[in-house]
Amino acid sequence: MKVSHGEDWFTAELVLDHGEAIRALLQFKSLPDGTWVVREKLVANSDVTTSRIATGLIGILNNPGWVYERGRRTITIDGREEVVPALGGRYFAADNARLIEIDGAMRIASTRPLRLGYLGAKKPERSRATDELYLNYHPDERAWRAGQTISEYEATVQCMVP
């Protein structure tokens, strides 16, 4: 891990091995305006078969009765709205997403298409209902050769102040 920082920014670069088969090269960058950028590259260290890849997780609280929550989230992907009721277990995926907005409060943008997966919570865990938004989601089994790039993405995340 390597961390660099200034008065109002930081960058963290990590190399993380998922067992012996897959290596993740990660970079997180916080910008002075509150925006942050995440980059991830997954590489096969050896021949490997994956049953599912789900990385780049953003947890989205979606409780049915908490203060300031409406019991649903509206996820807009490239202009198409998906309403996710709290504790509904709703699942959807998008293979070519470039612009994602959550309730008009958070924007996630990418110049290259993202393969998203959204898994709505079915029940609370530790008293919270947290939906899972994966920026890199490949739900199917696939074989990879040693040295092959499995996936690579970059996303910019910013809060939208009304």
Side-chain angles (χ1 to χ4, degrees):
M1 183 169 90
K2 176 183 160 191
V3 177
S4 307
H5 63 87
E7 187 173 317
D8 55 2
W9 64 272
F10 76 87
T11 300
E13 297 179 45
L14 300 91
V15 177
L16 173 69
D17 287 335
H18 296 280
E20 295 180 14
I22 299 174
R23 173 163 285 173
L25 306 166
L26 300 163
Q27 183 185 67
F28 301 94
K29 187 178 206 175
S30 171
L31 303 176
D33 67 356
T35 300
W36 60 276
V37 179
V38 58
R39 291 183 181 104
E40 178 189 67
K41 181 177 182 179
L42 298 179
V43 178
N45 282 340
S46 60
D47 291 354
V48 63
T49 298
T50 55
S51 59
R52 177 180 84 141
I53 295 172
T55 62
L57 172 63
I58 297 176
I60 299 172
L61 293 176
N62 192 2
N63 293 281
W66 281 15
V67 175
Y68 305 117
E69 292 195 42
R70 298 171 297 164
R72 71 181 182 285
R73 292 290 183 209
T74 302
I75 313 301
T76 306
I77 303 168
D78 296 324
R80 186 191 82 218
E81 284 190 2
E82 298 281 350
V83 176
V84 182
L87 301 176
R90 176 104 194 277
Y91 164 79
F92 61 88
D95 286 342
N96 292 303
R98 290 183 187 264
L99 182 62
I100 304 97
E101 291 187 4
I102 301 154
D103 286 338
M106 178 184 287
R107 176 179 289 143
I108 303 163
S110 180
T111 55
R112 292 177 32 193
L114 297 169
R115 292 193 64 175
L116 296 182
Y118 193 100
L119 289 77
K122 295 178 182 177
K123 63 180 182 174
E125 290 186 30
R126 295 188 310 260
S127 300
R128 290 185 304 251
T130 306
D131 295 347
E132 299 173 349
L133 172 62
Y134 293 96
L135 300 180
N136 183 39
Y137 191 75
H138 304 262
D140 302 319
E141 185 174 291
R142 185 162 172 199
W144 308 95
R145 307 291 283 158
Q148 186 176 7
T149 297
I150 295 171
S151 63
E152 188 171 7
Y153 74 90
E154 176 179 322
T156 302
V157 181
Q158 65 185 153
C159 291
M160 300 161 52
V161 180

